[in-house]
Amino acid sequence: MANTVDVPATVFCHALGEEPVRTQLSLGAAALSVESEGFAGEIALDNVFDATVGPPPQAAAGVLSGTVLTVGFERDGDREVLFVSTDEETLTTVAGLLYRRLLDGKEVAVRHPAEIGGRVTEATYDIGRLHVVPERVGCSKIQHPFDVELGSIVDFYRSEEELLGDRQPVIHIQYVREGVAVSLDLALNPPRLQHLLGRHLQRRYVETRREVRGLDVPPAGVRALVRLYSLQGSAHPKAVLDGGQERAEAVLRGLLRQDLVEASDGEVALTSRGWILVTEYANKGGDHDREVGASADRRAAGGD
C-alpha cells in the first residue's frame, strides 16, 4: 500500500494558483502531490478532512466539468480545497486508495452485531482495528470481526451516543448478511476520521439509493417488499404477493427485473436494492430527516 500512484490530471486549487493546471497527481503513503512545469504543491494526508467524487461543487463549476475528486485539506491554519479532473474510472480508483491510506489500520470503537434481523443483541463496544480496501470495510481484533462489502449496506446514519463516558458521534450501519439484516455501530477519533469513514461507507449506498428512488414500483410491488421487510427479508411468494396466480407472477417478475428481490429455493428475498428501497419507505413519516453525505444524513444530530 506504500507505493506511490501517479496519474495525469487537471487540478484546480486557489491555494496553488488561480487557474486549472494540467499536471501529474501523485498519491504516496503520506502525501498527495501535484507537480508540473512551474507549479508544485503537496498536501499531507494528515491534513485531509474530506474527500468525495462527484460533480464539481460551485467553487469549481466554472472551470471544471464532469466528475471530479474534491479533497478538503488544512493549510497554514486555513481550509482549502483541491479539485482533480481526469477520467471517472481513474478518479474512483484514486479515491478508493486515498480513503484506504487515510483510514486503514486506525483504532475504532465497535459494537457488532448491534442488531440481527431487527432484534437488539447484548453486544457492547469493543476496541479494534479498522480495515479499508476498495469496496469493502472491516474490523479485526474484536470479539466478532466483520468484513462488509459496501454494496451490501442498506441503511446508514449518524447520531451522538454515550460512549466511554462521553457523548460522541457514532456511525450506524445496517448491511445484509446471508439474507438477514445486521447492524453495527462504530466511532473513530479524531472527528475528521469519522467524517472520512462516513464518506467512504456511503459511496456505493448513495449511488444505489439514487437508482432505486428512480424506480417506478407499483403499489402491489411496494406491499410485497414491505411484507418481506416485516418477515426479515425472505419468505414464500404466497406470503407476500396479492391477487391470483397470474397477477402475483406479474408483480414478482417486475420486482425481479428491477433487482429488488431474488428467487432461491422456492422463496423470494430482498436484494440490497430492495432493502434500501423498503427501509426508506418504512422510515417515511418518522421523527428523523433522512439525509446522507454532504447534503444529508439520517438523524441530523450526527450531520457533517
Side-chain angles (χ1 to χ4, degrees):
M1 191 171 75
N3 294 336
T4 299
V5 174
D6 297 306
V7 297
T10 299
V11 302
F12 176 58
C13 177
H14 287 295
L16 303 177
E18 294 302 319
E19 299 292 335
V21 177
R22 188 66 181 172
T23 183
Q24 193 76 5
L25 179 75
S26 298
L27 175 57
L32 182 67
S33 306
V34 291
E35 184 174 353
S36 65
E37 185 177 350
F39 179 91
E42 183 175 277
I43 301 168
L45 296 188
D46 285 344
N47 292 333
V48 173
F49 62 83
D50 195 12
T52 186
V53 175
Q58 186 174 357
V63 291
L64 296 175
S65 60
T67 301
V68 300
L69 169 63
T70 302
V71 181
F73 64 98
E74 294 182 351
R75 179 186 176 99
D76 299 328
D78 295 325
R79 288 195 162 193
E80 305 284 355
V81 183
L82 172 72
F83 303 102
V84 180
S85 175
T86 185
D87 66 273
E88 191 165 346
E89 183 178 353
T90 299
L91 286 180
T92 300
T93 300
V94 171
L97 183 57
L98 178 60
Y99 282 119
R100 184 178 183 185
R101 294 188 173 175
L102 291 166
L103 295 166
D104 193 57
K106 301 298 184 184
E107 186 176 82
V108 60
V110 179
R111 178 167 58 195
H112 177 266
E115 295 183 7
I116 300 176
R119 297 185 296 275
V120 177
T121 71
E122 296 182 356
T124 58
Y125 277 97
D126 198 0
I127 304 298
R129 289 289 171 184
L130 188 68
H131 298 292
V132 174
V133 298
E135 302 304 325
R136 305 190 75 87
V137 66
C139 186
S140 63
K141 299 187 177 180
I142 58 176
Q143 186 174 2
H144 299 287
F146 62 88
D147 179 31
V148 176
E149 184 180 354
L150 298 191
S152 71
I153 294 176
V154 297
D155 200 11
F156 171 94
Y157 61 94
R158 298 180 178 97
S159 69
E160 287 192 357
E161 289 192 3
E162 190 74 22
L163 178 60
L164 303 177
D166 194 13
R167 297 287 293 179
Q168 295 190 34
V170 174
I171 296 176
H172 305 268
I173 303 163
Q174 186 181 65
Y175 67 98
V176 177
R177 183 179 67 190
E178 297 178 352
V180 177
V182 178
S183 68
L184 64 93
D185 307 325
L186 56 82
L188 274 168
N189 273 315
R192 75 174 185 90
L193 293 179
Q194 182 94 338
H195 177 80
L196 286 163
L197 179 60
R199 286 289 202 202
H200 177 65
L201 291 172
Q202 71 192 26
R203 288 170 68 203
R204 177 65 67 84
Y205 170 69
V206 168
E207 179 183 340
T208 305
R209 195 181 74 154
R210 186 181 299 116
E211 291 174 358
V212 300
R213 279 181 167 181
L215 295 176
D216 183 14
V217 184
V222 172
R223 288 194 295 272
L225 294 175
V226 171
R227 287 169 184 164
L228 275 174
Y229 177 85
S230 68
L231 294 169
Q232 310 306 324
S234 63
H236 191 279
K238 290 184 178 179
V240 296
L241 295 169
D242 290 329
Q245 182 176 351
E246 185 176 340
R247 172 61 176 164
E249 288 180 351
V251 172
L252 178 58
R253 284 195 301 271
L255 296 176
L256 288 167
R257 186 168 54 251
Q258 293 174 316
D259 194 23
L260 296 173
V261 301
E262 57 189 0
S264 178
D265 298 327
E267 292 195 338
V268 291
L270 291 170
T271 63
S272 294
R273 287 162 56 91
W275 276 105
I276 289 174
L277 188 149
V278 77
T279 299
E280 289 214 330
Y281 181 86
N283 281 281
K284 281 183 178 178
D287 295 330
H288 304 290
D289 291 331
R290 298 184 58 82
E291 299 179 304
V292 177
S295 63
D297 270 323
R298 199 181 86 187
R299 301 186 184 177
D304 294 337

